[in-house]
Amino acid sequence: MSDPARENTPSAVDKTVAAPSEVDGPDRAPTFHEAFAQAARKAGISEVAPGETPTGASLLRAIGGVRGLVESILPGLGFLVLYTFTKNLPLAVIAPIAVSVIFVIARLVMRSAVMPAVAGLLGVGVSAALALFTGRAEDNFVLGIGINIVCLVVFLVSILARRPLIGVIVSLLANDPGGYRKDKAKGRVVLVASWCWVGLFAIRLIAELPLYFAGQTELLGSVKLILGVPFYAVVLWVTWLLVRTAYSKPQPATTPAG
């Protein structure tokens, strides 16, 4: 559920699911379950283990830290400022690409995880290409709108299939596969949390689509910044709090056989 480019750090959650190499040797290919679990551990929600109390530091880590914030916000802010004051589309879309390239180089020099910056560069590059191809500044936001549509559909389908995506992710992080289907309290919590993410993507689309079709580029850019990292952080925080209410409850002790 990933929204901005993030550099992940190890968390307590990593201890809940053993890596394939720790179980069956390094040569065994991971199963789909293991691969999904590893992907889930890299999501922002994994910065707080189910049942733990979220903190400001864990929230900052989940959105990529200070570096992740800068890398997520600066390209969009640069486009907005440059286009607002110059109305020069090539300049407004190329400048963020240059900034994103600098982020990649900086990570290479510092020998830190480079993929978050590369992903950001690809996103900025594709958005710029679309805007330059059509000559419409508002098309710089098409990719982001498309991603929100896809995420909205995925969450809705998971809910309709009675496999709320937040429940799937949290059950893997807590090493409790399918636990949300057996425990009604957990099931209700992950369902509500999943609807919160549906709300996030729906609100973004409701706010951005009319501005896109109206060609209100400057206002669209401003709304996108507001509903980007800040809104994502709020929904992530609410998700942590909701999940904690169910997963912090002590589990009933099992009676030994015999």
Side-chain angles (χ1 to χ4, degrees), residues 27-198:
D27 295 331
R28 187 180 68 84
T31 64
F32 175 80
H33 179 277
E34 292 165 343
F36 193 94
Q38 290 177 12
R41 290 200 301 273
K42 295 179 181 179
I45 194 173
S46 70
E47 291 298 338
V48 172
E52 289 186 358
T53 302
T55 64
S58 58
L59 179 62
L60 183 60
R61 288 197 306 271
I63 59 180
V66 175
R67 177 188 293 179
L69 279 173
V70 173
E71 292 177 352
S72 300
I73 294 175
L74 192 56
L77 181 61
F79 170 86
L80 177 61
V81 172
L82 287 171
Y83 187 77
T84 298
F85 287 100
T86 69
K87 293 298 187 292
N88 185 322
L89 179 58
L91 174 63
V93 297
I94 291 175
I97 294 177
V99 171
S100 298
V101 170
I102 293 173
F103 290 151
V104 173
I105 295 173
R107 283 177 176 264
L108 288 172
V109 171
M110 298 176 67
R111 296 185 178 181
S112 58
V114 73
M115 285 311 298
V118 171
L121 174 60
L122 289 174
V124 172
V126 171
S127 297
L130 287 171
L132 290 174
F133 179 76
T134 63
R136 301 170 69 241
E138 57 269 29
D139 285 342
N140 187 62
F141 302 100
V142 167
L143 179 62
I145 291 174
I147 290 174
N148 282 305
I149 292 174
V150 171
C151 291
L152 176 63
V153 171
V154 169
F155 268 92
L156 285 175
V157 169
S158 74
I159 291 172
L160 291 175
R162 297 184 179 181
R163 299 291 189 276
L165 190 55
I166 295 300
V168 175
I169 294 173
V170 172
S171 66
L172 290 171
L173 297 176
N175 199 20
D176 182 29
Y180 66 94
R181 299 200 304 273
K182 304 170 187 175
D183 187 317
K184 290 184 177 180
K186 291 179 180 179
R188 286 193 295 267
V189 164
V190 298
L191 179 61
V192 171
S194 295
W195 276 114
C196 287
W197 288 93
V198 168

Side-chain angles (χ1 to χ4, degrees), residues 10-19 22 41 46 49 52 172-175:
S11 67
V13 176
D14 294 324
K15 300 176 183 178
T16 63
V17 183
E22 297 171 352
R41 290 200 301 273
S46 70
E52 289 186 358
L172 290 171
L173 297 176
N175 199 20

Side-chain angles (χ1 to χ4, degrees), residues 194-206:
S194 295
W195 276 114
C196 287
W197 288 93
V198 168
L200 178 146
F201 300 118
I203 289 172
R204 285 178 175 176
L205 292 171
I206 290 171

